[in-house]
Amino acid sequence: MTHAPLRAPLRAVVIGAGIGGLSAALRLSHAGLSVTVVDMGDGPGGKMRTRDSVAGPIDIGPTVMTLKGVFETLFTDVGTRLSDHVTLVPDDILARHHWRDGSSLDLFHDAGESARAVRAFAGVEGERQFRRFSDRARKLYEAFEGPVMQAAKPSLTALTAHVLKNPALIPAMAPGRSLAATLAAQFTDPRLQQLFGRYATYVGGSPFQSPAVLGLIWHSEANGVWRVQGGMNKLAQAICKLAQDKGAAFRFNTRADRIEQQAGRVTAVHLSDGTRLPADLILFNGDPKALVDGHLGHGPATAVPRKSVADRSLSAFVWGFAAEPAGVDLAHHNVFFCADPKREFDDLAAGRMPEDGTLYVCAQDRGGPAPTGPERFEIILNGPPGHPSTPEDAYTCRTRTFETLARMGLRFSPTPDITALTMPADFDRAFPASDGSLYGLSPHGMMATFQRPTARTKLRGLYLAGGGAHPGAGIPMACLSGQHAAAAILSDLASISTSRPMVTPGGMSTGSATMGTARSPSSAS
């Protein structure tokens, strides 16, 4: 009996097991490709990291999920359900906010409850301004979701057309004005200006330099915040396990040293242990600046425009520890605001650790039954990219963090040692060439959204995913970047005219030994 020859699976190598790389690896393995993922870390997740403690694993990266539908789509697209793999717990209180004057404000998943809380906090006029701001944020989100976030390549033309059909969006977008400037015009209470200005930091920016359109981030959070039971890294583990079930192989504690190319197309990844992984395509899920700086060889250095990685977003000083708190009734998410936000961001712009910075405190055991004994905490202080982070800086950060919180009534026993601190230079070592930047390209300027690199690069067969690529930072956006990358890869493969080698049931191969190059990934639609 004669058997028809079988096509050998296309070989995809994914460098990096962050959410973007995991999302793409899952989709590609589901599509039948032979997928190998390599990562320097000892497990999946990238910046979705944990640290061990006496109270259990502590999230020292992202602490919540927003835009849950992005992840539900990922799991649905590969034939399963998100709820079958992780348990999500909604946070009714989005965050508890504290100011130096002793005032505090909770914002809630329920919009009406938030409005009532703002009224009690800032009066009838404050509530009116809050409702109007929330409505603007919703309209901005709806305007940007299709032509920007959900699009494989952000379309200024499509966005402009949408705005022209809806001219009421123009005041909300406030072209040429910063987020801080528009908030000053929208809120008479400076505390509310400060609160909603902090959303610029969610994508690594300053409210004094970021465009007003970043106010839309409030809408994404107001739509719902979820915790992953067992910690955020459980989500990364679930995606990794599902990809493995579909045939993907993972190699952790392994560094990719060089991307090999021949005739203008990628052919292999060389690992630090000397292994050569042949590849028909490569997905890079690291900071694209690593490519530009030549960390993966000379060939990929021109695959991404330098302008798309040149201006760096913020870094951070991140504490992860277990201790017993006292003095303040904590929610799951807590923000302790500095006295002067302009001074804080002036320090960051000058490359300094803020002398007086806003502190985010994630009390990871709050939101359910009252905990007893040591609890798990993550505390984040914004930091500048490229900060040298000397040992002296660690002690300075310890003083500034815990003395500030103590003055605002929150104390910890014991006060954590500096070994619990991750500084910008540590992030740079963990994520090469990032300069410690946690969000890739800076969001400053109206055109920043359109300058991020997209999934396709100038080097054939090399693709990008992750927070440094379009549509940007945050785990939902990183997940979307993986979706865009997988779609670009599968579209390009479908258009290639030359066949892969044909493998007979007896193992003999026929046909070309390389993929055709009839269509460049960088020019494919």
Side-chain angles (χ1 to χ4, degrees):
M1 181 176 178
T2 302
H3 293 273
L6 305 173
R7 293 186 184 276
L10 291 161
R11 300 160 299 186
V13 176
V14 178
I15 302 173
I19 288 298
L22 290 171
S23 167
L26 174 55
R27 291 176 179 278
L28 294 176
S29 56
H30 179 71
L33 278 69
S34 174
V35 178
T36 301
V37 183
V38 297
D39 193 283
M40 293 169 56
D42 56 9
K47 295 186 180 76
M48 193 179 281
R49 308 171 307 140
T50 61
R51 170 176 288 158
D52 290 334
S53 79
V54 295
I58 304 168
D59 284 327
I60 53 172
T63 56
V64 293
M65 174 191 291
T66 57
L67 303 181
K68 181 179 65 167
V70 170
F71 295 93
E72 290 175 329
T73 296
L74 169 64
F75 282 78
T76 299
D77 284 352
V78 297
T80 185
R81 297 182 302 178
L82 174 65
S83 59
D84 290 336
H85 300 271
V86 295
T87 300
L88 301 182
V89 181
D91 272 328
D92 293 330
I93 298 176
L94 300 178
R96 180 163 291 163
H97 307 85
H98 303 265
W99 284 267
R100 298 294 172 85
D101 63 2
S103 60
S104 64
L105 172 66
D106 287 358
L107 291 178
F108 300 88
H109 186 189
D110 182 273
E113 196 169 359
S114 284
R116 290 188 290 274
V118 171
R119 180 172 184 161
F121 176 78
V124 174
E125 182 64 9
E127 179 191 4
R128 185 191 68 81
Q129 293 168 345
F130 168 73
R131 288 183 182 275
R132 188 175 181 187
F133 168 74
S134 295
D135 186 58
R136 284 186 172 189
R138 176 184 58 79
K139 290 176 180 176
L140 285 173
Y141 182 89
E142 291 171 351
F144 273 71
E145 184 182 20
V148 178
M149 289 180 282
Q150 294 286 348
K153 184 175 183 179
S155 172
L156 184 59
T157 301
L159 179 63
T160 302
H162 181 80
V163 172
L164 291 176
K165 291 179 182 177
N166 301 273
L169 283 170
I170 296 175
M173 293 177 66
R177 301 186 71 191
S178 71
L179 177 61
T182 58
L183 290 172
Q186 292 178 76
F187 291 104
T188 53
D189 192 317
R191 297 170 300 177
L192 295 178
Q193 297 172 25
Q194 186 177 22
L195 189 161
F196 292 108
R198 82 182 183 91
Y199 284 96
T201 66
Y202 280 31
V203 289
S206 159
F208 299 97
Q209 295 175 274
S210 297
V213 72
L214 290 192
L216 63 79
I217 298 174
W218 159 242
H219 180 72
S220 69
E221 183 164 286
N223 262 351
V225 167
W226 288 265
R227 286 174 281 145
V228 178
Q229 193 172 87
M232 289 299 293
N233 191 255
K234 293 291 185 183
L235 175 63
Q237 293 177 32
I239 301 173
C240 177
K241 174 65 166 56
L242 190 53
Q244 287 175 317
D245 290 345
K246 293 178 179 295
F250 285 77
R251 300 178 62 146
F252 295 111
N253 297 305
T254 302
R255 181 181 180 124
D257 276 351
R258 181 169 65 89
I259 292 174
E260 177 188 316
Q261 65 175 35
Q262 295 178 18
R265 133 164 249 113
V266 300
T267 53
V269 174
H270 291 258
L271 307 181
S272 56
D273 62 6
T275 302
R276 178 183 182 272
L277 294 178
D280 298 307
L281 60 96
I282 297 168
L283 175 68
F284 183 66
N285 175 216
D287 195 309
K289 186 172 177 288
L291 298 174
V292 175
D293 287 356
H295 283 236
L296 277 298
H298 297 298
T302 58
V304 176
R306 181 167 289 277
K307 69 178 181 180
S308 67
V309 300
D311 296 328
R312 309 305 290 162
S313 60
L314 292 176
S315 186
F317 297 85
V318 179
W319 296 91
F321 62 95
E324 295 190 39
V328 173
D329 182 19
L330 296 171
H332 186 210
H333 307 287
N334 310 270
V335 182
F336 292 80
F337 285 110
C338 65
D340 183 355
K342 184 64 167 61
R343 183 180 175 187
E344 175 186 17
F345 288 100
D346 282 348
D347 280 346
L348 291 167
R352 299 187 296 263
M353 179 197 311
E355 186 172 338
D356 177 22
T358 292
L359 295 164
Y360 165 72
V361 178
C362 181
Q364 295 176 25
D365 295 300
R366 298 298 174 106
T372 58
E375 301 178 41
R376 298 168 299 162
F377 291 94
E378 178 183 36
I379 299 178
I380 301 176
L381 170 68
N382 289 319
H387 192 275
S389 305
T390 65
E392 291 76 15
D393 291 324
Y395 289 100
T396 300
C397 185
R398 185 174 188 261
T399 298
R400 292 180 182 177
T401 299
F402 295 101
E403 288 190 359
T404 294
L405 292 174
R407 287 195 297 271
M408 298 182 76
L410 178 60
R411 297 175 300 280
F412 296 95
S413 179
T415 302
D417 186 75
I418 62 168
T419 56
L421 176 64
T422 304
M423 297 192 288
D426 300 316
F427 285 114
D428 184 51
R429 284 188 287 272
F431 307 103
S434 67
D435 295 332
S437 168
L438 297 178
Y439 312 90
L441 183 70
S442 166
H444 297 162
M446 278 296 293
M447 296 306 295
T449 293
F450 302 94
Q451 291 174 340
R452 286 183 180 272
T454 54
R456 293 181 173 95
T457 74
K458 295 179 181 179
L459 178 58
R460 288 180 297 172
L462 177 62
Y463 301 81
L464 301 178
H470 170 72
I475 62 168
M477 298 299 102
C479 185
L480 273 177
S481 78
Q483 176 180 324
H484 294 328
I489 289 167
L490 296 176
S491 173
D492 292 348
L493 292 179
S495 72
I496 291 173
S497 59
T498 306
S499 299
R500 282 275 294 130
M502 305 295 283
V503 181
T504 67
M508 297 296 292
S509 66
T510 63
S512 170
T514 60
M515 290 178 64
T517 57
R519 189 178 188 194
S520 166
S522 62
S523 63
S525 60

